[in-house]
């Protein structure tokens, strides 16, 4: 990966100043030491780590709890000086370089929300990880064409994914303008993959390199009329090989809920594709005077 286009400290895309500018945060605050980094958007009396991102939270380089306590004391005091009295932190899944769950309690945080997430280790052949039903589907993927799309096709892909969301009575959670800005700012970290049949889009997904070793399954979608072909199975097979060959260790499949309601069919699909169930937890702390 081109170091001139890589993200900031410890390689987390969502902590980059350019990314914050694209998200138009009201008051972006980054706190870092030799061991830790955490970022917030401060809105009024509330601090969020991080809104408009899959997660925020503490990233660490092999620090201990004593280091965290010292670091967090400085963070909290700084936020208090900004008028903050409520802090929300969404920690990533456990495969990231984040802190142990128990440490959040030690610094006074309580669980606000727990969501089901999945990650896929990029180790060995995917065929050995997936359910036998998906194995059969993977073998029939030759009936359509899977490839990586150029960034110049972003508008077409965004429109396609918007239509896919509408079929689910959902709205796409990122505008084309914001997505274009993200891709232009971090061209080496965003990739578009598609499955087409006779040039018609069946399925597509936008991936980003959340860190130097974890690819995030950002925006997937499949048209209902092509569900019988299960093109996302072939698409994930292609993505798996692509990132594995580049030395990535995991695909983060993200969460499987809408407004905190679990999407059971999506959970089943991710687990059939070898996804390992995990948690993405949002913590809350009320500050006192």
């Amino acid at each position: 990966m081109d170091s001139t286009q890589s993200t900031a400290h410890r390689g987390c895309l969502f902590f980059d100043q350019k990314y914050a500018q694209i998200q138009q945060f009201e008051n972006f605050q980054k706190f870092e030491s030799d061991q830790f980094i955490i970022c917030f958007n401060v809105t009024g009396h509330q601090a969020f780590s991080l809104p408009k991102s899959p997660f925020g939270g503490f990233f660490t380089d092999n620090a201990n709890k004593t280091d965290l306590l010292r670091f967090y004391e400085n963070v909290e005091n700084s936020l208090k000086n900004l008028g903050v009295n409520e802090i929300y932190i969404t920690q990533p899944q456990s495969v990231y370089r984040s802190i142990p769950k128990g440490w959040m309690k030690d610094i006074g945080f309580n669980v606000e929300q727990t969501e089901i997430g999945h990650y896929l280790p990029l180790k060995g052949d995917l065929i050995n990880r997936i359910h036998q039903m998906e194995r059969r589907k993977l073998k029939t993927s030759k009936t359509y064409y899977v490839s990586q799309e150029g960034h110049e096709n972003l508008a077409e892909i965004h429109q396609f994914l918007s239509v896919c969301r509408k079929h689910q009575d959902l709205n796409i959670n990122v505008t084309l303008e914001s997505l274009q800005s993200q891709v232009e700012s971090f061209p080496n970290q965003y990739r578009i993959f598609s499955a087409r049949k006779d040039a018609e889009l069946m399925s597509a997904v936008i991936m980003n390199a959340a860190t130097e070793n974890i690819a995030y399954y950002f925006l997937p979608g499949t048209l209902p009329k092509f569900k019988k072909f299960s093109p996302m199975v072939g698409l994930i097979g292609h993505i798996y090989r692509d990132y594995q060959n580049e030395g990535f260790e995991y695909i983060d499949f993200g969460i499987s809920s809408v407004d905190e309601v679990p999407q059971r069919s999506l959970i089943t699909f991710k687990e059939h594709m070898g996804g390992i169930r995990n948690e993405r937890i949002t913590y809350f702390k009320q500050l006192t005077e």
Side-chain angles (χ1 to χ4, degrees):
M1 192 176 296
D2 184 349
S3 61
T4 62
Q5 294 292 348
S6 65
T7 52
H9 191 60
R10 299 182 183 91
C12 182
L13 172 65
F14 313 122
F15 293 163
D16 193 279
Q17 186 73 41
K18 283 185 182 178
Y19 186 85
Q21 291 171 352
I22 294 166
Q23 302 301 339
Q24 299 180 324
F25 289 143
E26 184 175 324
N27 184 3
F28 181 66
Q29 298 289 326
K30 179 186 286 189
F31 302 95
E32 56 185 317
S33 68
D34 290 339
Q35 293 86 23
F36 296 99
I37 181 170
I38 190 168
C39 300
F40 294 91
N41 181 40
V42 176
T43 304
H45 298 295
Q46 298 177 318
F48 299 89
S49 178
L50 270 170
K52 301 183 181 180
S53 303
F55 55 81
F58 292 96
F59 271 46
T60 182
D61 281 339
N62 300 316
N64 58 45
K65 187 160 53 175
T66 301
D67 294 329
L68 174 68
L69 293 173
R70 188 182 305 112
F71 175 75
Y72 177 70
E73 182 179 7
N74 291 330
V75 170
E76 185 173 297
N77 287 335
S78 296
L79 291 175
K80 279 184 176 180
N81 290 336
L82 293 171
V84 169
N85 56 32
E86 294 182 356
I87 304 176
Y88 296 84
I89 295 177
T90 299
Q91 285 290 118
Q93 296 193 59
S94 61
V95 291
Y96 291 86
R97 291 195 300 267
S98 56
I99 65 173
K101 287 194 295 185
W103 291 12
M104 293 299 294
K105 184 177 180 180
D106 292 334
I107 57 175
F109 281 83
N110 295 312
V111 173
E112 175 79 6
Q113 177 180 306
T114 301
E115 297 167 292
I116 297 171
H118 293 84
Y119 64 88
L120 177 63
L122 299 177
K123 190 174 182 179
D125 291 332
L126 179 62
I127 198 76
N128 297 323
R129 290 188 170 277
I130 62 180
H131 190 276
Q132 60 181 6
M133 184 187 305
E134 270 56 50
R135 289 181 188 177
R136 290 196 294 269
K137 294 173 182 176
L138 194 59
K139 290 177 181 177
T140 63
S141 62
K142 293 180 181 179
T143 59
Y144 50 87
Y145 181 67
V146 177
S147 67
Q148 182 175 339
E149 300 266 345
H151 287 171
E152 67 276 8
N153 296 335
L154 184 62
E156 177 193 10
I157 298 297
H158 184 273
Q159 175 60 25
F160 171 81
L161 294 172
S162 298
V163 171
C164 293
R165 291 290 194 279
K166 286 180 181 177
H167 281 291
Q168 298 176 286
D169 295 320
L170 300 171
N171 293 317
I172 195 164
N173 59 2
V174 59
T175 66
L176 175 59
E177 292 73 23
S178 176
L179 189 58
Q180 284 175 327
S181 295
Q182 292 174 47
V183 171
E184 289 169 4
S185 297
F186 308 101
N188 294 335
Q189 287 161 283
Y190 281 78
R191 299 180 192 177
I192 305 167
F193 298 89
S194 71
R196 294 178 183 264
K197 190 172 182 63
D198 300 326
E200 184 178 3
L201 277 168
M202 307 168 71
S203 191
V205 60
I206 297 173
M207 304 284 297
N208 64 43
T211 68
E212 72 280 1
N213 68 326
I214 302 175
Y216 187 77
Y217 187 72
F218 180 36
L219 282 173
T222 299
L223 277 182
K225 72 175 185 177
F226 291 119
K227 290 281 188 181
K228 63 182 179 181
F229 294 98
S230 300
M232 190 57 74
V233 174
L235 205 47
I236 290 174
H238 182 90
I239 291 166
Y240 183 99
R241 292 188 298 273
D242 192 51
Y243 282 103
Q244 184 185 56
N245 289 340
E246 290 197 23
F248 281 73
E249 296 179 59
Y250 301 99
I251 290 174
D252 178 354
F253 273 146
I255 60 169
S256 302
S257 60
V258 176
D259 296 328
E260 300 182 44
V261 178
Q263 296 177 287
R264 298 299 175 188
S265 61
L266 185 56
I267 290 170
T268 298
F269 173 72
K270 289 177 180 179
E271 292 180 355
H272 277 193
M273 289 305 299
I276 297 172
R277 188 180 293 210
N278 207 243
E279 294 177 334
R280 191 186 75 175
I281 303 175
T282 298
Y283 296 88
F284 169 74
K285 183 176 183 179
Q286 180 78 50
L287 303 186
T288 57
E289 296 295 333

